[in-house]
Amino acid sequence: MATAYEKTQNLKLAPRRGVCKDGREVHLYANFNRMKFDSRVTAYHYDLDIEPTCPKFLRRKLIHEFAQKYKSTVFKNALPVYDGNKNLYSSVELPVGSDPTVLDVSLCESEESKSRDYKIKIKYAAHIDMSCLEQVLRGDGYGDVPQETLLVADIVIRYFPSLRFVVAGKSVYQPPQGRDKYQLGDSTELWKGAYTSVRPTLWGLAMNIDESHTAFYEAQPVLDFMTKTFKLNNLTNNYTLKDSDRMVLKKELKYLKVTVRHQAHKRQYRVEDLTKLPANRIHFDVNGKKTSIVDYFQSQYNYRIQFPNLPCLWVSPKAKNTFLPIEVCDIVEGQRCVRKLTDVETRTMIRATAKKPHIRKQGIDEQTKLMGFQRDPHLRQFGLSVDNNMVQVKGRVIQPPKMGYANQQSVQAQGGVWDSRGKSFYNPAHIRNWAVLMFPPQNHCRTEDVKAFCDALIKFGGQNGMKINQPGFVKYLREHDIERVLQEMKRNGQPIDLVYCILPRNSSVAYQRVKHVFENQNAISTQCMEMRNLKPVKPQTVGNILQKINAKIGGTNTIAVDLMSIPLFKKPVIIFGADNAHPAQGEGNKPSVAAVVASVDKFACRYTTQTSLQATDGKKTHSPIIEQMQEMVKKLLIKFYQTVKVKPQRIIFYRDGISEGQFYHVMMYEVDAIRKACASLEQGYQPPITFIVAQKRHHTRLFVQNPRDGDRSGNVPAGTVVDTGIVSPVEFDFYLNSHQGIQGTNKPAKYHVLLDENQMPVDMVTKLTYGLCHVYARCTRSVSVPAPTYYARLATDRGRTHLNSSKWDSSDGASSIVSSDREETQRNLAEIIKDISPHEATKNKMYWI
């Protein structure tokens, strides 16, 4: 018998096996435009090196100027394209070889600035034969889609728009004009644009185009930016910044481009820092004499500094010690806001971008025209063309499952929802001893309102089959009293089933402390609620809370009855979900949080969790693999055996959080880890594995052709499967819209079956996946991804919450996690995970619900 390692070494991505046949047919539009390409064209790749270093925001302009200057000599009247970094592509071979050719070019940053001289070193790198892509698209040979050909096509279709609009990743954005201006926050505004990506499909090459929105900084004086940041109404000339405010402003302004008003030439600078000293206390030598910045601006520019007590912007290059008073600087237009948006900005963004499907489709069609593909000379040079219209594709709407409740009652889910009124939870839990803690003051959170809400929980809980006693402990407290109050609760000696906490609005600190003290340290389940939900008592709110409580303390709300009829479940099956959440930009060396959840019942409704931390080095890219997968899976397999009393004979693994370029690498490592975990439990124990990636970070949108086929929000109906036309020509992938539309345009989940040793037919895979979207314990709705995938995401979110509230959240602590000594790094991670991990008994509960 082959070893686990040998089996993994022979892995190949699962090929497509037929199409979905269940359900009824529905006619759709998809936001893909067919493309044609000339397979006879060869793309020539050249490396560029620019000296002196050119700011990123000027590179495209510089290379365009370079191409224009040497159009007839170097470029032979062809139109090259540039990716914004170091790569240039031409449709004709240029007279340069593998040794760099050095050419001069000058560039003015703006009409009002001086020109600057650059040297560009260009050398041949490779040539790319586009015919190999045609072979794959025709199905002449099975193999990996040649990524370099797609990369060239991607760069070509974006180059012409990039000359007119602002580029950010795979999107280009247009500055808002007039009525299109939409303020997000005090200093941020919403820009609209288009995302584009060239994709290989069953129909051939196609362009995925979507309406894109993001936050940009508003062009304004830095002084106005500062006053808005600190809500300053009347700024006096002697105003000074507290050191804490200076640090906040530094964080907001760092890396932003600014231009100055005190010089005739409007040169741009990049902010690196804020000076600790104000402008009137910063001195430097001028012709052998010490002078202050205030005096220098007066004598050199005849400009009197109005706010001498404010710090200066320290701009790049930092080594030159160039300091600019805040009041002479303006924030340059067209800078994307890369920091995490505030709650207000996020809510405003959602309201502004949540568009009905027909409006979203109109917006995509408008963006397609605005990109100007029909008049793009660069497309023609590379033998490419883009159709103006969205493709039409057929989908299938598959049958939702019946949802089972206690006493053999069931209800048929329809369109992603079902009515559970009058039915008891499938396995209702009992709450004998519980406490209610109120964090708001008593004059805001009245005792009688708390009593009424508790009575409602007991009443509606009874209707759902739960037996809930009156709370045995009720107390008002502050955040710093949590440990003391916990000791009071423990004095009666009875186990505490639940602690119900009523919190003020947006009280993240209290929430984090509650979860850490009760769940992490004492294995006591908690349920938190903001005070605004206390009254009036709403049955729907109470019902939703009861679903969370029942799942947290060991109950089962409902089961998907039809799942049990799938032949897959004739043998014991364990369902896994996994996610890996990485630190956001600006969070330094904070570790990534990985979570794996696994079912521990025969209905795949109850789950247990393992979490781990992984070191990062503060870079933008992080390892996609879950490094501790083997140990985490082993513990979860043991828990399944302890609970269900049998070994799982099949493994279904849903993986979130990875991109297409990472598929093979992640599958090789993690499938091998799963196999080793199985082999470590018993010699020869190798249950077949199906490994499926669930993706929500994509830009595919589906629209019904006939409005009568849509749900009441106008979206494609829940249960819509698309596995023809727009899917991969070689891989086993499909789209599934599993939820009902509520706000805006639904985004279907995309699934890639990377490995399928269980040999599941297409209809079985879609039925299983859709069924698992119905067992999410928080609501009586199907959700957008299978419950185990969602649970893994919630577990990583909880891990990040504990990490943010721990001692490691300080800048010193965060930077000290990673060491040059790998063993020391692992010791640091072990200490953090010990500090932030749930109690062992808590891990066995669905604490993240």
Side-chain angles (χ1 to χ4, degrees):
M1 179 181 289
T3 66
Y5 176 77
E6 289 170 340
K7 289 180 72 175
T8 304
Q9 288 301 103
N10 296 324
L11 283 183
K12 291 183 179 179
L13 294 181
R16 179 172 301 285
R17 291 200 307 270
V19 296
C20 177
K21 297 178 181 177
D22 284 350
R24 61 181 174 86
E25 189 175 87
V26 62
H27 295 266
L28 309 168
Y29 291 109
N31 59 335
F32 285 75
N33 296 56
R34 293 198 189 198
M35 296 180 66
K36 293 180 181 178
F37 72 99
D38 188 343
S39 60
R40 297 169 298 177
V41 170
T42 298
Y44 297 89
H45 175 200
Y46 297 90
D47 285 338
L48 301 181
D49 191 23
I50 304 170
E51 293 181 355
T53 302
C54 179
K56 190 172 182 178
F57 66 92
L58 281 176
R59 287 180 200 160
R60 292 179 185 276
K61 187 175 181 181
L62 175 67
I63 299 305
H64 182 66
E65 191 72 26
F66 169 61
Q68 291 298 310
K69 180 176 179 179
Y70 297 99
K71 182 176 181 180
S72 59
T73 53
V74 175
F75 293 101
K76 301 180 180 178
N77 292 315
L79 296 172
V81 296
Y82 173 58
D83 74 344
N85 291 308
K86 286 180 170 287
N87 304 295
L88 181 138
Y89 298 88
S90 171
S91 60
V92 300
E93 190 171 7
L94 307 183
V96 296
S98 299
D99 294 324
T101 299
V102 183
L103 299 167
D104 298 318
V105 65
S106 298
L107 179 70
C108 295
E109 289 186 13
S110 66
E111 294 178 1
E112 302 162 320
S113 63
K114 293 180 180 178
S115 66
R116 191 177 185 188
D117 296 330
Y118 291 92
K119 291 186 180 298
I120 296 180
K121 298 178 181 179
I122 180 171
K123 66 178 182 179
Y124 171 81
H127 68 275
I128 296 140
D129 183 2
M130 303 295 280
S131 64
C132 58
L133 177 60
E134 184 180 45
Q135 292 172 11
V136 174
L137 294 173
R138 280 203 315 251
D140 290 350
Y142 178 77
D144 292 334
V145 175
Q147 294 299 315
E148 66 273 10
T149 59
L150 298 179
L151 177 64
V152 172
D154 258 340
I155 293 168
V156 172
I157 65 168
R158 272 194 296 274
Y159 186 71
F160 186 53
S162 76
L163 299 176
R164 297 171 290 143
F165 306 126
V166 177
V167 180
K170 287 191 170 187
S171 299
V172 293
Y173 296 93
Q174 305 98 31
Q177 303 293 331
R179 295 176 61 183
D180 289 337
K181 277 186 172 289
Y182 199 100
Q183 204 75 25
L184 290 178
D186 291 330
S187 298
T188 52
E189 57 189 13
L190 183 69
W191 283 33
K192 183 170 68 174
Y195 164 93
T196 55
S197 177
V198 176
R199 311 285 303 170
T201 73
L202 282 172
W203 286 336
L205 208 61
M207 178 188 67
N208 178 209
I209 180 166
D210 190 22
E211 194 175 57
S212 184
H213 302 85
T214 196
F216 276 74
Y217 287 102
E218 185 182 1
Q220 61 184 314
V222 175
L223 196 64
D224 290 353
F225 181 92
M226 185 191 77
T227 58
K228 292 175 182 177
T229 299
F230 299 116
K231 305 291 190 289
L232 303 172
N233 295 324
N234 298 308
L235 192 64
T236 59
N237 294 94
N238 60 354
Y239 180 80
T240 60
L241 273 181
K242 294 183 295 185
D243 195 55
S244 58
D245 288 345
R246 184 184 66 82
M247 295 301 292
V248 170
L249 188 61
K250 168 189 167 181
K251 188 175 180 180
E252 290 286 335
L253 290 173
K254 193 168 185 178
Y255 303 135
L256 286 186
K257 300 190 296 286
V258 297
T259 187
V260 292
R261 280 180 269 120
H262 65 285
Q263 295 175 324
H265 300 292
K266 301 291 185 181
R267 182 179 172 185
Q268 292 187 9
Y269 299 87
R270 191 177 76 161
V271 179
E272 293 285 347
D273 204 345
L274 251 65
T275 60
K276 292 183 179 179
L277 296 175
N280 59 4
R281 292 178 56 195
I282 299 175
H283 295 80
F284 56 98
D285 285 328
V286 177
N287 299 325
K289 291 184 179 181
K290 285 274 187 182
T291 186
S292 70
I293 286 182
V294 171
D295 293 337
Y296 179 79
F297 268 72
Q298 182 68 59
S299 61
Q300 185 72 16
Y301 304 110
N302 193 28
Y303 183 91
R304 180 173 173 270
I305 301 295
Q306 301 295 313
F307 301 95
N309 292 322
L310 290 178
C312 293
L313 303 184
W314 194 342
V315 297
S316 62
K318 198 172 183 181
K320 286 190 174 182
N321 289 333
T322 304
F323 306 126
L324 300 172
I326 282 178
E327 65 191 73
V328 303
C329 298
D330 296 324
I331 294 174
V332 175
E333 183 184 59
Q335 298 184 80
R336 187 172 170 228
C337 179
V338 295
R339 63 164 170 79
K340 183 180 179 181
L341 298 183
T342 66
D343 290 343
V344 171
E345 289 171 328
T346 300
R347 286 196 298 269
T348 308
M349 170 83 82
I350 291 171
R351 281 198 302 268
T353 59
K355 301 176 181 178
K356 292 289 186 183
H358 70 281
I359 298 175
R360 178 87 177 207
K361 183 180 181 299
Q362 288 174 6
I364 295 171
D365 290 338
E366 289 171 5
Q367 288 295 328
T368 303
K369 293 175 182 176
L370 197 58
M371 293 300 100
F373 298 121
Q374 303 307 311
R375 63 179 190 277
D376 186 343
H378 302 85
L379 281 174
R380 291 194 293 272
Q381 285 269 314
F382 284 85
L384 295 167
S385 63
V386 180
D387 192 84
N388 261 343
N389 302 311
M390 280 190 191
V391 298
Q392 301 180 38
V393 63
K394 293 178 181 178
R396 309 286 302 183
V397 182
I398 61 177
Q399 181 73 10
K402 283 184 180 179
M403 307 308 297
Y405 288 87
N407 304 317
Q408 297 186 330
Q409 290 185 302
S410 65
V411 59
Q412 179 67 54
Q414 290 290 349
V417 297
W418 62 95
D419 188 352
S420 64
R421 286 176 296 182
K423 297 172 181 63
S424 296
F425 291 143
Y426 184 83
N427 178 25
H430 302 325
I431 303 176
R432 297 172 179 82
N433 183 31
W434 63 299
V436 181
L437 304 182
M438 294 84 74
F439 286 80
Q442 190 168 358
N443 60 334
H444 291 163
C445 182
R446 299 189 307 166
T447 306
E448 54 267 34
D449 295 331
V450 175
K451 176 72 166 59
F453 193 87
C454 291
D455 289 343
L457 279 176
I458 294 169
K459 174 186 173 183
F460 289 110
Q463 293 174 3
N464 284 286
M466 299 178 72
K467 294 179 181 178
I468 306 176
N469 295 340
Q470 286 290 337
F473 188 93
V474 181
K475 194 174 185 68
Y476 290 91
L477 75 163
R478 300 285 182 88
E479 292 163 21
H480 58 268
D481 297 326
I482 292 176
E483 285 87 350
R484 178 182 58 79
V485 170
L486 174 61
Q487 295 308 314
E488 285 184 43
M489 293 162 54
K490 287 182 174 181
R491 282 179 194 147
N492 66 12
Q494 296 181 9
I496 303 167
D497 297 324
L498 178 73
V499 174
Y500 198 98
C501 299
I502 301 172
L503 305 176
R505 191 165 191 168
N506 298 325
S507 53
S508 59
V509 175
Y511 176 85
Q512 291 165 359
R513 288 293 299 152
V514 164
K515 297 297 181 183
H516 184 73
V517 172
F518 289 105
E519 294 184 353
N520 286 19
Q521 297 180 341
N522 293 277
I524 298 173
S525 297
T526 63
Q527 178 61 50
C528 296
M529 180 185 78
E530 288 189 352
M531 189 184 69
R532 62 193 175 98
N533 293 315
L534 185 62
K535 67 171 190 177
V537 176
K538 297 178 181 178
Q540 184 176 356
T541 300
V542 176
N544 289 340
I545 290 171
L546 284 168
Q547 290 188 94
K548 296 176 70 174
I549 291 174
N550 189 58
K552 283 182 181 181
I553 62 177
T556 301
N557 297 343
T558 184
I559 64 170
V561 178
D562 297 358
L563 281 185
M564 298 303 101
S565 66
I566 298 177
L568 181 79
F569 285 89
K570 288 181 178 179
K571 294 181 179 180
V573 178
I574 185 170
I575 312 283
F576 285 93
D579 193 15
N580 197 1
H582 303 298
Q585 187 171 347
E587 289 190 322
N589 289 329
K590 274 188 181 178
S592 299
V593 180
V596 182
V597 305
S599 59
V600 287
D601 69 341
K602 65 179 182 179
F603 303 113
C605 291
R606 300 276 322 150
Y607 288 81
T608 187
T609 318
Q610 289 291 318
T611 57
S612 68
L613 297 180
Q614 296 176 194
T616 61
D617 55 6
K619 295 181 180 178
K620 289 183 179 180
T621 57
H622 307 289
S623 173
I625 64 173
I626 297 178
E627 296 170 359
Q628 303 299 317
M629 180 67 81
Q630 181 178 338
E631 186 62 25
M632 296 164 82
V633 168
K634 179 180 177 180
K635 290 178 179 179
L636 293 168
L637 287 169
I638 291 171
K639 189 62 185 176
F640 182 94
Y641 181 77
Q642 291 172 341
T643 307
V644 186
K645 309 303 181 187
V646 293
K647 292 182 300 184
Q649 297 302 308
R650 302 182 191 274
I651 292 175
I652 310 295
F653 204 102
Y654 285 92
R655 182 64 158 89
D656 192 11
I658 57 174
S659 62
E660 291 180 25
Q662 301 165 337
F663 282 176
Y664 193 74
H665 174 55
V666 170
M667 181 183 70
M668 286 288 291
Y669 182 92
E670 295 186 359
V671 169
D672 184 55
I674 296 166
R675 286 184 170 143
K676 287 176 178 176
C678 295
S680 69
L681 295 172
E682 182 181 291
Q683 186 175 2
Y685 177 51
Q686 289 293 311
I689 301 167
T690 297
F691 195 93
I692 304 172
V693 174
Q695 287 184 313
K696 287 287 284 184
R697 295 186 183 97
H698 62 80
H699 285 266
T700 298
R701 295 293 189 278
L702 302 172
F703 308 92
V704 291
Q705 293 185 27
N706 188 335
R708 289 178 296 182
D709 288 331
D711 64 16
R712 59 185 182 183
S713 68
N715 279 286
V716 297
T720 299
V721 175
V722 172
D723 61 354
T724 62
I726 60 173
V727 294
S728 168
V730 293
E731 296 168 5
F732 185 177
D733 63 341
F734 63 92
Y735 294 94
L736 169 61
N737 179 72
S738 55
H739 59 298
Q740 185 186 72
I742 299 175
Q743 180 177 251
T745 304
N746 279 9
K747 180 192 287 188
K750 187 177 185 182
Y751 298 91
H752 298 258
V753 183
L754 302 190
L755 176 70
D756 184 23
E757 294 176 340
N758 288 292
Q759 295 294 302
M760 299 164 63
V762 174
D763 288 325
M764 187 185 295
V765 176
T766 56
K767 184 175 182 179
L768 171 67
T769 303
Y770 189 37
L772 288 172
C773 293
H774 286 74
V775 298
Y776 184 62
R778 280 185 171 182
C779 56
T780 54
R781 287 177 170 271
S782 57
V783 289
S784 60
V785 290
T789 313
Y790 218 132
Y791 291 157
R793 194 180 304 165
L794 292 176
T796 60
D797 288 346
R798 179 63 62 82
R800 287 173 60 82
T801 296
H802 289 311
L803 186 64
N804 292 339
S805 64
S806 72
K807 62 184 179 183
W808 299 93
D809 191 39
S810 67
S811 57
D812 292 339
S815 62
S816 66
I817 293 170
V818 177
S819 167
S820 57
D821 182 348
R822 180 171 175 80
E823 289 186 4
E824 183 180 348
T825 298
Q826 293 304 318
R827 285 195 297 271
N828 288 340
L829 288 174
E831 186 177 345
I832 306 171
I833 196 70
K834 183 179 178 182
D835 184 42
I836 72 168
S837 284
H839 192 283
E840 278 302 316
T842 300
K843 291 179 183 178
N844 296 329
K845 303 175 182 178
M846 296 169 65
Y847 63 90
W848 18 257
I849 283 291

